Amino acid sequence: MIPTLAAIRFGTGLSPDLPPPDGAADLLARLDGPDEMAERFPVPDWNTRMDLIRRHGRLRRARREDPAAAEEYKKINRRLHTIYHRDLRQTMMRAIVTRDGLRERLTWFWAGHFAVADGGGYLRRSVAAYHDAAIRPHVAGRFGDLLFAAVTHPAMLTYLDQEKSIGPNSPRGRRGGGLNENLAREVLELHTLGAGAPYSQTDVRELAKLLTGLSVTRDGRFRWVRNMVEPGAETVLGETYGDETPNRHDIAAVLSDLAVHPATARHLSAKIARHFIADDPPADLIEAMTGTWLDTDGSLPAVYGAMLDHPAAWAPELRKVRRPLDFMAAALRVTDSGSELEAARGIRPLREGLTDPLTLMGQPWLRPSGPDGWPEEGTAWITPQGLAARLGWAMDLGRRQKPALDPRLLVETALGPLAGDRVRFAAGAAEDRAAGIGLILASPEFQRR
Amino acid sequence: MSPTLDRRRFLSLLGCSAAAFPLMTPMSFAALPSDNRLVVVILRGAMDGLDALQPYGDPDLAGLRPDFDVGPAAGAIDLTGFHAMHPSLAPLRPLWQAGHLGFVQAVSTPYRDKRSHFDGQDILEAGTAGEVPPLTNRDGWLNRLLPLLPGATGRTAFAVGRDEMLILRGNAAHSSWAPDARLDLAPATADLLLHAYHDDPLFRENAEAALGFAGSSAEDEGRKTDALFAFAAAQLRQDARIAALSLGGWDSHRGQPRQIARGLDALAGGLLRLRADLGADWDRTMVIAMTEFGRTAFQNGTMGTDHGTGGTMILGGGALRGGQVWGDWPGLAESQLLDRRDVMPTRDVRAHAAWALHGLFGVERAALETTVFPDLDMGPSPGLLA
């Protein structure tokens, strides 16, 4: 039972040919190793995309007068569109063939925690590159490093308006513009301390002043602009940072302190436990993780280890519902659909097979509805509409298996000891193989973890 | 799947699980908050109000739009001797004559100056006094209305369609459904699915609802928007009292004549679908079609119009005292325009929505002016209801 739970609760699910992790030690050992999937299934990097976006913007203005520009604009638009769908394919490919599923799951989790939504401008079809650059390399490191990388990435600076925030008494500020508190507020409320923590509007304001200078160049690169920095020291949660001389290390210092604040440790330990274990995790689990966080200065593998040490991590009851992305990845993995996905030509099969269904299930690709990311509770996902979309997609995936797998075997591969009598019966009694496969993927055991 | 099979499937599902299927239990009828119905249609992309309802009696209109068809002489349907409606709305003439169609001119949300679709729609749906709602914990005015309706349940209000409907987002429970998320299960497979779901209430109850909806929506034929309105009507005939949906495609910067005709065709078709499918309930129904802002008074260089401010609200339904155009007309002379480009709004679009809620559901004015629409002054009643 332990390897099965390790694969589905902490990984991307069972696979017909890749063995599940043995247990906690194996999960953590793989996480400590190299990130093989990012190398094997790369996506275009941030700067490549910024160059495309820059050209996209120029051509959009030029196209009205110039037919050649209009043609070029169409091409580049298509290119960006293709990248968006291929990003999802790469995400799925990583989940399908990995032996280190915890890394994928953590990447999704922390990408949701530091949510940035696809949109216009620098955020046009670029968010997957932010995930690969700022989130993924840090999911197995110190939380402070992850926090700094995410909060200072151009994607986040754009999404939460930091690049427009100007210290009112800075050289730039004296010519106009002003402070924007958006990022500072979300850093405290969402990224670190949590909404209920004891901080005040003054702390938000002071942090906003401290973050001034973080900005983005015209071609989408990070830049620190000395003459936007609000002069003088700022006090956040009683700690004083900086002086009259602008210094970017003050920002590193305040984020580093926030990363190991007791409220942050508690807020994020609870959030991790809610994500992996149960919508209402046991109090002593959160306690143990919080303690480890504080003892290790926010070493994430140590915190994951504390979670995996708790008996709740290995309770056979499946208390969580897989989110749509997680559900689709697990279904593609267990049906060994990787080669079909890799062989897909053009974006249409990707759009119809992955992107559109994900939207219908309620998790539009890279487009969370706000900086607070995706909902956690199962009831937010299993609605008549969301479930209908899952069922429709699962049945369709069943129909696409050629040659069709034998459902009586698949039920073992997909669920192992977790398969209940009812799903075993349904798998065996289905009117054809396709329906049997669909029913297994649609079963509560498969949609939960 | 044939319609007969669908119906049988639907009924057999009810038979095996009526207790777990709240749409059909007599208890839920007893708890209904009101007999009146409201349909809110968000026209996304900014409908050109001056083209939908053409104030052809204004001496400046024709000059501002020399290349557009304007007024009865160009095929529009005369309504008041001053206003004519766009030819694509011609199928709605009987509704106008019966008092089941009306317009509000020169209205807008309190949003000014920026003219962004996304912000404009967010403000329209959040019902704020002009500020863009915060990214986190934003909610919509229909959602804030629900706790004010005695006996409202999670099935009182429906968001219909695939679009995110901020207008219904929030803490109050509501339902949502996209008719094109069709579930096409063979009857035997559906039975096995419910067998597999038997011991898991979360999955069982939602699957029962999904299979029930899919059964009824499989009978809808025709275009996608028709299916949206048909689904809304089907829900409103049962427990639902409020439905919200989106119609897109109004952002007519180029080639407006063709584009707006397509949108108005769809809207007219939708209203007629509601009237047909609601049957006797049409007389207790009001439809509000609203858009994030209007468009420029003058046409641009590409046979279109650009983002503006004052716009037009379209009202329908048997509960309406229609056959009239509400609102003060500000005029179209250059000095009468906002920023010398847009129709000057003469009233907050939220006021009409608030009076509709007051009339349909008896919601107190004090709650409407604070909870539902913060900082709204409803002003005198426009007398929207029959």
Side-chain angles (χ1 to χ4, degrees):
Chain A
M1 185 63 102
I2 296 278
T4 302
L5 290 171
I8 75 145
R9 188 167 293 158
F10 302 107
T12 57
L14 291 163
S15 152
D17 46 34
L18 301 165
D22 298 335
D26 196 11
L27 284 168
L28 293 170
R30 289 190 188 278
L31 188 62
D32 193 39
D35 180 359
E36 292 168 2
M37 290 300 110
E39 197 168 321
R40 190 164 153 200
F41 301 103
V43 298
D45 70 11
W46 179 262
N47 287 353
T48 306
R49 295 177 199 236
M50 289 306 106
D51 295 344
L52 279 172
I53 287 167
R54 192 100 200 271
R55 277 170 58 207
H56 181 267
R58 266 201 300 265
L59 292 164
R60 179 146 76 168
R61 289 186 293 274
R63 76 193 150 129
R64 288 185 201 273
E65 280 86 52
D66 178 359
E71 201 44 47
E72 188 66 15
Y73 173 77
K74 248 196 242 160
K75 241 191 258 166
I76 209 156
N77 222 3
R78 221 173 10 240
R79 177 84 213 283
L80 286 166
H81 203 53
T82 304
I83 287 176
Y84 175 72
H85 296 283
R86 288 213 179 127
D87 286 341
L88 178 54
R89 177 182 60 189
Q90 296 302 71
T91 294
M92 289 301 180
M93 286 309 303
R94 292 170 180 180
I96 291 168
V97 306
T98 186
R99 290 167 184 270
D100 179 15
L102 179 57
R103 189 186 305 271
E104 304 305 323
R105 290 283 307 286
L106 288 168
T107 301
W108 301 343
F109 171 78
W110 288 113
H113 180 69
F114 292 106
V116 168
D118 180 78
Y122 303 132
L123 299 180
R124 184 181 298 277
R125 313 305 189 231
S126 62
V127 172
Y130 153 70
H131 292 165
D132 262 26
I135 306 290
R136 192 174 177 100
H138 301 290
V139 299
R142 279 182 57 250
F143 175 71
D145 296 333
L146 173 62
L147 176 68
F148 184 83
V151 165
T152 60
H153 192 278
M156 184 67 81
L157 298 179
T158 306
Y159 184 53
L160 294 179
D161 307 319
Q162 182 62 38
E163 96 285 12
K164 295 195 287 266
S165 181
I166 301 168
N169 299 306
S170 67
R172 269 287 299 281
R174 289 197 291 270
R175 288 186 273 129
L179 223 47
N180 186 311
E181 294 178 359
N182 204 0
L183 179 63
R185 179 177 310 281
E186 302 304 13
V187 164
L188 296 178
E189 178 182 325
L190 297 176
H191 301 157
T192 63
L193 307 176
Y199 63 89
S200 67
Q201 170 59 29
T202 311
D203 292 313
V204 172
R205 191 90 191 151
E206 290 286 288
L207 181 59
K209 288 182 189 165
L210 203 45
L211 294 180
T212 51
L214 294 176
S215 192
V216 180
T217 65
R218 287 168 61 105
D219 49 4
R221 270 69 163 177
F222 172 84
R223 78 172 168 163
W224 186 71
V225 186
R226 176 179 289 271
N227 72 1
M228 284 164 66
V229 177
E230 178 71 0
E234 280 89 22
T235 303
V236 179
L237 300 171
E239 232 14 87
T240 301
Y241 303 88
D243 52 34
E244 285 309 313
T245 320
N247 185 341
R248 61 208 286 184
H249 298 298
D250 299 336
I251 295 169
V254 70
L255 291 178
S256 174
D257 288 348
L258 286 170
V260 298
H261 192 283
T264 302
R266 174 162 300 277
H267 171 216
L268 298 187
S269 294
K271 185 166 176 173
I272 296 167
R274 271 203 310 278
H275 181 73
F276 283 96
I277 307 296
D279 291 347
D280 53 342
D284 64 330
L285 168 64
I286 299 171
E287 214 52 58
M289 293 168 69
T290 307
T292 304
W293 188 296
L294 294 172
D295 290 345
T296 62
D297 284 345
S299 158
L300 292 174
V303 174
Y304 309 147
M307 171 173 74
L308 295 172
D309 273 346
H310 192 281
W314 306 102
E317 192 196 346
L318 305 175
R319 296 177 65 187
K320 293 289 301 183
V321 171
R322 279 176 162 151
R323 287 177 181 167
L325 184 75
D326 194 335
F327 165 65
M328 284 175 69
L332 293 169
R333 180 175 167 96
V334 81
T335 53
D336 206 9
S337 301
S339 44
E340 186 198 338
L341 215 52
E342 279 196 297
R345 296 174 65 85
I347 58 170
R348 193 162 160 201
L350 300 179
R351 195 180 61 224
E352 290 177 355
L354 302 178
T355 325
D356 287 352
L358 201 49
T359 303
L360 278 174
M361 293 178 205
Q363 198 179 16
W365 174 231
L366 302 178
R367 288 174 189 156
S369 64
D372 51 347
W374 304 107
E376 193 57 72
E377 331 79 71
T379 49
W381 300 107
I382 304 303
T383 61
Q385 178 179 349
L387 182 57
R390 288 175 184 235
L391 296 179
W393 183 81
M395 294 297 159
D396 191 50
L397 186 60
R399 282 191 287 266
R400 289 214 312 271
Q401 300 305 308
K402 288 170 188 135
L405 312 164
D406 186 326
R408 287 160 302 183
L409 300 179
L410 181 67
V411 76
E412 303 301 331
T413 318
L415 299 168
L418 295 169
D421 291 343
R422 289 179 173 274
V423 63
R424 279 179 203 280
F425 173 78
E431 64 181 13
D432 53 28
R433 286 182 170 216
I437 298 167
L439 284 165
I440 293 164
L441 302 178
S443 68
E445 291 96 320
F446 192 80
Q447 298 202 55
R448 291 181 174 277
R449 58 173 175 73
Chain B
M1 233 194 259
S2 74
T4 17
L5 205 56
D6 280 336
R7 183 167 297 278
R8 210 165 61 221
R9 168 95 237 107
F10 185 49
L11 294 175
S12 83
L13 278 167
L14 291 174
C16 74
S17 62
F21 197 66
L23 275 182
M24 284 295 172
T25 51
M27 287 288 281
S28 61
F29 277 103
L32 295 180
S34 161
D35 217 17
N36 288 331
R37 273 98 170 147
L38 171 66
V39 180
V40 179
V41 185
I42 303 291
L43 307 172
R44 294 189 193 278
M47 178 185 73
D48 182 20
L50 290 182
D51 211 345
L53 178 73
Q54 303 166 2
Y56 73 93
D58 190 299
D60 291 299
L61 182 65
L64 288 164
R65 302 176 159 218
D67 301 318
F68 287 11
D69 289 338
V70 171
I77 294 52
D78 190 23
L79 298 180
T80 64
F82 183 87
H83 306 88
M85 64 181 176
H86 190 281
S88 293
L89 295 177
L92 300 183
R93 196 200 307 250
L95 269 62
W96 172 268
Q97 284 158 351
H100 296 174
L101 176 71
F103 299 84
V104 190
Q105 63 187 1
V107 279
S108 79
T109 68
Y111 181 52
R112 289 293 179 275
D113 301 334
K114 296 285 246 324
R115 304 179 177 92
S116 144
H117 288 302
F118 308 116
D119 292 350
Q121 288 169 28
D122 285 353
I123 289 164
L124 177 71
E125 294 179 80
T128 67
E131 68 279 11
V132 179
L135 279 172
T136 32
N137 303 322
R138 43 170 58 180
D139 56 7
W141 55 268
L142 280 180
N143 193 281
R144 295 192 300 272
L145 167 74
L146 292 174
L148 304 173
L149 304 181
T153 71
R155 296 195 175 272
T156 299
F158 260 82
V160 183
R162 274 169 73 164
D163 296 277
E164 155 84 3
M165 297 297 288
L166 170 59
I167 193 169
L168 258 174
R169 199 200 296 171
N171 290 331
H174 63 278
S175 300
S176 56
W177 177 250
D180 51 340
R182 184 162 300 170
L183 192 50
D184 193 14
L185 291 191
T189 306
D191 286 342
L192 285 172
L193 184 78
L194 292 180
H195 175 79
Y197 281 4
H198 183 272
D199 298 335
D200 192 319
L202 175 67
F203 282 87
R204 188 183 66 230
E205 285 164 16
N206 283 289
E208 283 165 353
L211 290 166
F213 293 154
S216 62
S217 75
E219 290 177 28
D220 310 331
E221 69 287 307
R223 296 165 308 142
K224 217 171 112 194
T225 51
D226 189 56
L228 291 182
F229 284 96
F231 179 78
Q235 296 309 315
L236 292 167
R237 293 215 64 175
Q238 301 179 54
D239 277 8
R241 290 297 170 266
I242 296 170
L245 54 99
S246 298
L247 279 188
W250 301 94
D251 196 17
S252 48
H253 291 284
R254 257 181 324 125
Q256 174 163 312
R258 265 190 60 205
Q259 196 177 341
I260 197 166
R262 240 191 343 248
L264 292 172
D265 281 344
L267 180 61
L271 288 174
L272 294 177
R273 165 62 61 201
L274 283 177
R275 186 180 63 163
D277 287 9
L278 282 170
D281 290 331
W282 170 256
D283 285 331
R284 292 181 284 275
T285 298
M286 181 158 161
V287 184
I288 299 179
M290 60 207 310
T291 192
E292 64 262 34
F293 39 69
R295 308 188 70 85
T296 49
F298 44 79
Q299 69 176 73
N300 64 17
T302 52
M303 279 295 278
T305 50
D306 297 316
H307 299 183
T309 308
T312 302
M313 189 180 203
I314 302 179
L315 302 175
L320 186 73
R321 197 166 78 198
Q324 55 178 317
V325 175
W326 285 275
D328 296 331
W329 183 239
L332 294 173
E334 194 176 346
S335 60
Q336 293 165 325
L337 296 174
L338 177 67
D339 298 338
R340 296 193 297 173
R341 50 177 280 155
D342 303 341
V343 174
M344 178 69 76
T346 54
R347 198 159 178 192
D348 191 331
V349 74
R350 301 179 301 157
H352 297 88
W355 281 111
L357 300 180
H358 180 71
L360 289 169
F361 303 120
V363 182
E364 293 297 337
R365 188 169 167 160
L368 290 167
E369 292 182 332
T370 53
T371 309
V372 180
F373 295 111
D375 298 321
L376 172 68
D377 177 6
M378 287 169 67
S381 168
L384 296 178
L385 274 85

